[in-house]
């Protein structure tokens, strides 16, 4: 394992900032200012909605829904805690599959297995609103979305194992999910059925009170894989126009069904694998933003302003997609300082924002910064490098972090996510996703001992 310092071992903001600037001199940290004066406390207008602050809750793939696709008590608890964050932008706190076959796990929320999906989505919103009210955030001060997805290559709708549906064959990715022939390839006719499913899910979201839907184009799932389908023949592969066809058809169907519903996109801007989206062909270490920028221009043409920037996939480049000091049970320890990956997130969203200043970007990679999250966030937002700062894993251990920051309170160190990756290890081994080390509710569950036992050995987890 590479030797690097964990964020908690830095003794001051200045010392931590010096390490960031060793990686990239333009990065920085701000000393925190008084409540109300922080750049993250500035209001923001988005298509007629005025948001109270610049904190965002990232979407996450839930592992705790019911068999028919509805939220369980654990799901509702998470959404209540999302509300407690006080974050004004809740970016589809859940990845909601548009059909049962498109689930990434058997307990993912989805449509198609129950008669009334709106009731389940209304329950999510009620839990969220209750938490927001306790955090002092009024309904009109927030924007809430639902992330719509089809897991494509990474589909696993039952406990029987992977059931991948892919856009193209690729040896490395095929081996990851056990594909040996063309039977997993989606036919054009199957793809043509998807826009109606996305539109139906959008109608349910609108009826439940959501402000927008996210047409998910990231992390190796179906619409992200579409963008890289250069080897696929026919109307959905080859040229950039063809590779964006399904996305455009989905947006058109959603807009026709729900003309007043906003649309956002979570986009993996680069992929870090050969022949992936946003990389130099034949060189996965070099970014090529020509096509990602072409896609952002397409979003402009479609009047889509909301973009949540991310990188790659948790399945084939977790070290950059989700920077962490410790690997999950099925992963390898980091070979470089995770701050290098954080820097990549920060710098890429800067390039996007600089090129498309009228679009609203949510930044990613902040949880690994831990005690220094707000210091870096204030620097990035204050210098107009990004519009919103998103938190994912941190919401499982310390959902109140944004609210505490906005109130000028000291961070509660015992709640800060240390990227132990237990929230990944649990579901990878058939258990519910949660923060088993730090969330008291999950720490007392029998699964907590199982997760601890599955951790890699201490010698392979140790940073210096």
């Amino acid at each position: 394992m590479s030797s690097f310092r964990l964020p908690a071992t830095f003794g001051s903001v200045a010392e931590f900032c010096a390490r960031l600037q060793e990686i990239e001199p333009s990065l920085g940290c701000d000393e925190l200012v008084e409540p109300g004066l922080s750049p993250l406390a500035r209001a923001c207008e988005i298509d007629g909605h005025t948001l109270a602050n610049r904190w965002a809750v990232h979407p996450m793939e839930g592992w705790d829904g019911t068999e028919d696709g509805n939220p369980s008590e654990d799901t509702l608890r998470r959404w209540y805690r999302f509300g407690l964050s006080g974050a004004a932008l809740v970016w589809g706190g859940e990845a909601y599959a548009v059909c049962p076959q498109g689930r990434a796990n058997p307990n993912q929320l989805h449509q198609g297995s129950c008669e009334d999906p709106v009731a389940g989505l209304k329950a999510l919103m009620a839990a969220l609103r209750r938490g927001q009210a306790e955090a002092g955030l009024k309904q009109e001060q927030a924007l809430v979305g639902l992330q719509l997805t089809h897991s494509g290559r990474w589909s696993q709708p039952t406990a029987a194992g992977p059931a991948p549906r892919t856009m193209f064959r690729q040896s490395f990715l095929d081996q990851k999910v056990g594909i040996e022939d063309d039977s997993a390839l989606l036919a054009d006719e199957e793809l043509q059925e998807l826009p109606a499913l996305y539109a139906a899910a959008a109608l349910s979201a609108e009826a439940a009170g959501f402000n927008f839907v996210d047409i998910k184009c990231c992390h190796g799932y179906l619409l992200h894989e579409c963008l890289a389908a250069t080897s696929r023949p026919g109307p959905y592969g080859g040229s950039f126009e063809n590779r964006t066809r399904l996305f455009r058809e989905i947006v058109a169907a959603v807009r026709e069904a729900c003309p007043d519903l906003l649309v956002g996109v979570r986009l993996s801007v680069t992929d870090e694998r050969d022949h992936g989206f946003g990389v130099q062909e034949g060189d996965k270490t070099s970014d090529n933003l020509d096509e990602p920028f072409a896609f952002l221009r397409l979003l402009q043409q479609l009047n889509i302003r909301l973009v949540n920037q991310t990188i790659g996939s948790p399945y084939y480049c977790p070290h950059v997609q989700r920077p962490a000091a410790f690997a999950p049970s099925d992963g390898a320890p980091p070979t470089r300082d995770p701050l290098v990956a954080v820097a990549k997130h920060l710098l890429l969203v800067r390039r996007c924002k600089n090129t498309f200043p009228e679009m609203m970007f949510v930044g990613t990679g902040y949880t690994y910064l831990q005690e220094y999250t707000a210091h870096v966030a204030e620097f990035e937002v204050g210098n107009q490098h990004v519009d919103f700062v998103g938190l994912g894993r941190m919401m499982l251990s310390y959902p109140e972090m944004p609210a505490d920051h906005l109130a000028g309170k000291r961070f509660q160190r015992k709640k800060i996510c240390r990227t132990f990756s237990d929230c990944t290890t649990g579901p990878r081994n058939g258990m519910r996703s949660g923060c088993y080390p730090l969330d008291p509710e999950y720490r007392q569950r029998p699964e907590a001992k199982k997760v601890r036992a599955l951790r890699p050995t201490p010698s392979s987890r140790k940073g210096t």
Side-chain angles (χ1 to χ4, degrees):
M1 175 177 174
S2 175
S3 177
F4 57 85
R5 290 185 64 178
L6 302 176
T9 67
F10 289 88
S12 67
V13 176
E15 187 181 7
F16 182 78
C17 189
R19 170 59 188 139
L20 276 182
Q21 291 175 339
E22 286 178 2
I23 298 169
E24 167 52 51
S26 70
L27 297 177
C29 302
D30 279 352
E31 290 292 342
L32 301 187
V33 298
E34 296 179 10
L37 299 180
S38 166
L40 288 115
R42 295 175 188 163
C44 180
E45 190 277 330
I46 299 177
D47 294 332
H49 300 264
T50 302
L51 280 64
N53 59 66
R54 302 305 185 95
W55 286 105
V57 177
H58 277 320
M60 286 176 275
E61 180 189 304
W63 291 73
D64 49 23
T66 63
E67 187 175 337
D68 64 355
N70 281 309
S72 67
E73 288 302 314
D74 282 341
T75 320
L76 296 175
R77 178 179 181 268
R78 276 192 293 108
W79 278 68
Y80 162 69
R81 285 158 64 84
F82 293 162
L84 287 180
S85 72
L89 178 59
V90 178
W91 188 286
E94 203 81 21
Y96 186 80
V98 299
C99 59
Q101 300 88 345
R103 286 174 285 174
N105 72 82
N107 297 109
Q108 186 172 7
L109 299 193
H110 66 279
Q111 72 175 357
S113 294
C114 73
E115 293 185 1
D116 185 12
V118 176
L121 295 177
K122 283 184 175 179
L124 289 181
M125 286 295 292
L128 177 76
R129 296 301 189 194
R130 183 163 55 91
Q132 289 177 329
E134 290 188 30
L137 186 68
K138 297 178 181 179
Q139 181 171 329
E140 62 270 19
Q141 294 177 309
L143 199 69
V144 184
L146 183 67
Q147 184 179 73
L148 305 184
T149 186
H150 186 297
S151 298
R153 182 178 294 274
W154 308 103
S155 296
Q156 187 173 331
T158 71
R165 306 308 315 280
T166 71
M167 292 296 295
F168 54 84
R169 299 292 304 279
Q170 203 274 348
S171 58
F172 170 75
L173 296 178
D174 287 354
Q175 290 173 12
K176 283 274 187 181
V177 291
I179 293 174
E180 297 179 350
D181 55 38
D182 291 348
S183 61
L185 287 171
L186 283 156
D188 292 346
E189 293 76 14
E190 294 177 280
L191 297 177
Q192 290 162 5
E193 296 172 354
L194 289 176
L197 296 177
Y198 276 82
L203 279 167
S204 294
E206 185 177 51
F210 286 84
N211 306 112
F212 73 97
V213 291
D214 166 22
I215 310 300
K216 184 177 185 178
C217 295
C218 64
H219 298 166
Y221 296 113
L222 182 62
L223 291 181
H224 181 213
E225 188 163 283
C226 279
L227 297 177
T230 54
S231 62
R232 182 187 176 97
Y236 295 104
S239 68
F240 180 78
E241 180 180 3
N242 283 355
R243 286 180 280 127
T244 59
R245 186 184 306 278
L246 181 57
F247 173 79
R248 289 183 279 112
E249 290 174 346
I250 288 170
V251 172
V254 167
R255 289 261 173 81
E256 182 177 3
C258 309
D260 296 326
L261 193 66
L262 298 181
V263 174
V265 174
R266 191 165 205 214
L267 175 67
S268 283
V269 176
T270 61
D271 219 12
E272 289 226 341
R273 67 172 179 84
D274 289 335
H275 307 292
F277 185 67
V279 299
Q280 196 69 39
E281 186 171 352
D283 180 9
K284 64 183 179 181
T285 63
S286 299
D287 300 326
N288 183 339
L289 298 187
D290 291 348
E291 287 203 337
F293 281 4
F295 187 74
L296 291 173
R297 283 191 291 272
L298 172 62
L299 297 188
Q300 284 185 315
Q301 294 165 13
L302 296 173
N303 195 29
I304 295 173
R305 295 181 63 212
L306 277 168
V307 180
N308 190 318
Q309 170 270 332
T310 182
I311 300 171
S313 166
Y315 301 104
Y316 50 77
C317 56
H319 56 286
V320 66
Q321 184 267 333
R322 187 172 48 203
F326 309 114
S329 60
D330 60 348
T335 58
R336 64 182 181 183
D337 188 343
L339 283 175
V340 174
V342 174
K344 180 164 186 171
H345 278 278
L346 299 177
L347 296 173
L348 277 171
V349 78
R350 284 185 183 187
R351 291 179 68 181
C352 293
K353 182 63 180 177
N354 184 60
T355 308
F356 301 92
E358 66 284 0
M359 301 184 83
M360 307 301 293
F361 288 95
V362 182
T364 300
Y366 284 86
T367 285
Y368 185 74
L369 298 170
Q370 299 171 34
E371 283 89 349
Y372 304 100
T373 296
H375 296 276
V376 176
E378 288 198 352
F379 182 87
E380 294 300 312
V381 175
N383 286 287
Q384 300 180 21
H385 295 315
V386 71
D387 300 289
F388 290 90
V389 169
L391 296 177
R393 294 164 290 171
M394 190 70 76
M395 289 291 105
L396 301 179
S397 67
Y398 186 10
E400 306 93 344
M401 176 181 270
D404 282 353
H405 168 258
L406 293 169
K409 297 180 181 178
R410 284 182 175 271
F411 281 167
Q412 302 174 55
R413 289 179 58 90
K414 292 183 178 180
K415 291 186 174 184
I416 294 174
C417 173
R418 302 301 178 185
T419 66
F420 292 127
S421 294
D422 288 1
C423 56
T424 300
T425 290
R428 294 276 171 88
N429 291 275
M431 292 172 274
R432 294 193 169 190
S433 183
C435 185
Y436 289 95
L438 302 180
D439 181 350
E441 169 66 26
Y442 281 79
R443 191 168 58 234
Q444 55 84 32
R445 295 186 179 187
E447 292 92 336
K449 291 183 179 179
K450 298 178 183 178
V451 170
R452 286 196 296 272
L454 288 164
R455 289 177 179 174
T457 61
S459 61
S460 67
R461 297 185 63 138
K462 187 177 181 181
T464 60

